[in-house]
């Protein structure tokens, strides 16, 4: 059940989503299926959401009073540096709770990019504590009943990893420098959020991925070959098709040349040669479920 803007006086929800964007397109349908009472905010109040924009420099309680009380508050937008997490928690708790009431739990969505060492990493590995998002996440867990889900690269719907190739690989040198790719589908992100809501782990930072380590060379080779096959079967051959074909042929050639130059006998390359590799098993084992989307295509 969704609590709409203007309908939440004296209402209490299971999950309050602060920042209903791409993730919410997967999360809200799951909440409906699972019967979790929820409310969601956007900066403009679209689609019946509550209009809310966090201002870390404002002490005006009005925007927070417009929100319902919640068992779990999900913070989707990033908090940065020192002070922002404390301010959000204080403003929300001071407008909704008294000492007699149970305080809410907070979940922050973060990035797995804070783990940077070129070896296997899991939720217990050292991370970049100077990262502005990591600073705010640590502060949240220190000042509230909070937990963090540090997510691998998000994909699903119109957000597809194969579309990232043109942005991140401009040359053979770019491809040579590419090691591992880690992702998580929006459906699995939604499952993770609901699972943490139901099996909360206060003060815990989790690394969340689909439990695969992908080799960029392997992906690029496969996607280029798929695109070339589809282009060959297309009767329409115009300038844009020619450019697209040339690009895929280049990518395919680069992979082959790099395999020869680097003495790589087969793809995918061994994980030990890919640099940073993320071990996402811990979270899924903790909550008793496993990602459902399988490998990226």
């Amino acid at each position: 059940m969704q609590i709409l803007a203007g309908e939440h006086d004296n209402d209490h929800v299971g999950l309050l989503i602060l920042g209903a964007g791409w993730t919410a397109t997967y999360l809200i349908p799951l909440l409906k299926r699972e019967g979790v009472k929820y409310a969601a905010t956007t900066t403009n109040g679209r689609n019946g959401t509550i209009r809310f924009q966090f201002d870390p420099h404002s002490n005006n309680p009005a925007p927070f009073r417009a929100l319902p009380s919640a068992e779990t508050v999900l913070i989707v937008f990033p908090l940065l540096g020192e002070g922002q997490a404390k301010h959000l928690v204080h403003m929300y708790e001071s407008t909704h709770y008294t000492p007699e009431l149970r305080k809410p739990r907070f979940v922050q969505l973060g990035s797995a990019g804070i783990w940077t060492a070129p070896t296997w990493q899991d939720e217990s590995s050292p991370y970049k504590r100077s990262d502005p998002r990591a600073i705010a996440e640590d502060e949240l867990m220190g000042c509230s009943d909070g937990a963090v889900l540090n997510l691998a690269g998000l994909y699903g719907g119109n957000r597809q990893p194969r579309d990232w190739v043109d942005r991140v690989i401009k040359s053979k040198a770019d491809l040579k420098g590419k090691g591992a790719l880690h992702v998580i589908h929006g459906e699995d992100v939604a499952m993770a959020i609901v699972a943490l809501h139901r099996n909360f782990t206060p003060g815990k930072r989790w690394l969340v991925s689909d439990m695969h380590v992908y080799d960029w060379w392997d992906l690029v080779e496969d996607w280029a070959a798929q695109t070339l096959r589809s282009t060959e079967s297309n009767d329409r051959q115009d300038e844009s098709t020619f450019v697209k074909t040339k690009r895929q042929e280049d990518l395919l050639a680069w992979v082959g040349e790099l395999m020869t130059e680097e003495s790589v006998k087969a793809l995918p390359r061994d994980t030990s040669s890919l640099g940073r590799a993320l071990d996402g098993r811990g979270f899924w084992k903790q909550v008793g479920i496993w990602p459902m989307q399988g490998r990226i295509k």
Side-chain angles (χ1 to χ4, degrees), residues 4 84 138 196 228 272 288:
L4 301 175
Q84 292 193 7
D138 286 337
L196 184 59
L228 285 171
S272 62

Side-chain angles (χ1 to χ4, degrees), residues 23-173:
T23 300
T25 63
Y26 295 97
L27 177 57
I28 288 175
L30 180 61
L31 295 173
K32 291 178 178 178
R33 292 195 300 271
E34 294 291 319
V36 178
K37 192 175 182 181
Y38 73 94
T41 76
T42 57
T43 57
N44 58 10
R46 63 183 180 273
N47 300 325
T49 58
I50 301 165
R51 185 172 183 175
F52 174 81
Q53 186 165 4
F54 174 58
D55 182 350
H57 306 293
S58 173
N59 291 315
N60 181 7
F64 288 88
R65 287 185 179 137
L67 304 174
S69 62
E71 182 179 352
T72 303
V73 178
L74 175 69
I75 309 167
V76 180
F77 52 80
L79 299 175
L80 302 173
E82 296 180 356
Q84 292 193 7
K86 284 183 179 179
H87 188 62
L88 188 150
V89 169
H90 168 72
M91 294 300 292
Y92 186 78
E93 290 184 348
S94 66
T95 53
H96 289 81
Y97 291 88
T98 65
E100 293 76 28
L101 294 175
R102 178 179 176 179
K103 290 186 176 182
R105 307 176 306 198
F106 291 87
V107 175
Q108 172 75 65
L109 297 189
S111 168
I114 63 171
W115 284 283
T116 59
T119 57
W120 276 106
Q121 305 283 293
D122 63 20
E123 67 276 359
S124 66
S125 301
Y127 56 92
K128 190 177 180 182
R129 292 183 177 274
S130 61
D131 182 275
R133 294 181 69 169
I135 291 171
E137 291 160 4
D138 286 337
E139 182 177 272
L140 180 75
M141 291 186 287
C143 71
S144 73
D145 199 7
V148 179
L149 295 177
N150 289 108
L151 307 174
L154 300 174
Y155 83 101
N158 293 328
R159 183 182 290 190
Q160 292 298 320
R162 67 171 60 209
D163 296 329
W164 305 341
V165 174
D166 286 343
R167 186 176 75 248
V168 301
I169 299 173
K170 305 289 188 182
S171 66
K172 180 178 171 181

Side-chain angles (χ1 to χ4, degrees), residues 165-166 169-173 175-176 217 220-221 224-225 227-228 242-258:
V165 174
D166 286 343
I169 299 173
K170 305 289 188 182
S171 66
K172 180 178 171 181
L175 180 59
K176 181 178 180 179
W217 292 12
V220 167
E221 189 274 340
T227 304
L228 285 171
F242 174 80
V243 172
K244 183 177 183 180
T245 299
K246 181 62 169 61
R247 165 68 170 168
Q248 303 310 310
E249 290 173 344
D250 286 345
L251 289 169
L252 207 57
W254 292 345
V255 173
E257 291 166 8
L258 287 169

